[in-house]
Amino acid sequence: QVQVVESGGGLVQPGGSLRLSCAASGISSRISAMGWFRQAPGKQRELVATITSGGVTNYADSVKGRFTISRDNAKNTVYLQMSSLKPEDTAVYYCNVDARNRYWGQGTQVTVSS
């Protein structure tokens, strides 16, 4: 049974930091890319950051210099370190796993507010 489980969301003040984690299990095929997407109320889901099995990263312009994606291939886990958070970063953050199929987590809420 495939499971993609995110954790680490919550409420943080502007300028603060959060670290999201996502662990994938039960995937029998090789995992190529892992990443994070987000969806704010009334908006479409958008890419935040991705990382390949070789460590090549890609970021949305809106998070460059503030967010860092990393990955532990042995644990099939991906992390998103978020710093200098802004109210516009408020969204549900979804983990994405690309293998033979594409898998999504259930999402974790990140709220940036004073």
Side-chain angles (χ1 to χ4, degrees):
Q1 180 181 356
V2 174
Q3 287 190 315
V4 179
V5 181
E6 302 108 331
S7 61
L11 173 64
V12 63
Q13 293 186 341
S17 299
L18 276 177
R19 187 188 193 219
L20 305 183
S21 300
C22 170
S25 60
I27 299 175
S28 59
S29 57
R30 176 182 168 275
I31 294 175
S32 53
M34 301 181 77
W36 293 92
F37 290 69
R38 67 186 181 186
Q39 188 166 17
K43 294 187 177 182
Q44 290 188 331
R45 190 173 297 188
E46 63 177 3
L47 179 146
V48 176
T50 61
I51 184 168
T52 69
S53 57
V56 177
T57 59
N58 179 50
Y59 294 92
D61 287 343
S62 60
V63 307
K64 283 181 180 176
R66 301 188 298 121
F67 292 9
T68 302
I69 190 169
S70 60
R71 177 174 170 175
D72 185 332
N73 289 332
K75 296 181 179 179
N76 287 340
T77 300
V78 63
Y79 306 95
L80 186 68
Q81 179 66 48
M82 305 184 292
S83 302
S84 302
L85 282 161
K86 304 175 181 179
E88 50 263 43
D89 294 317
T90 295
V92 177
Y93 284 69
Y94 296 92
C95 178
N96 170 258
V97 178
D98 279 341
R100 184 176 300 166
N101 297 308
R102 199 171 201 191
Y103 303 96
W104 292 93
Q106 79 287 351
T108 185
Q109 177 70 45
V110 172
T111 302
V112 184
S113 175
S114 55

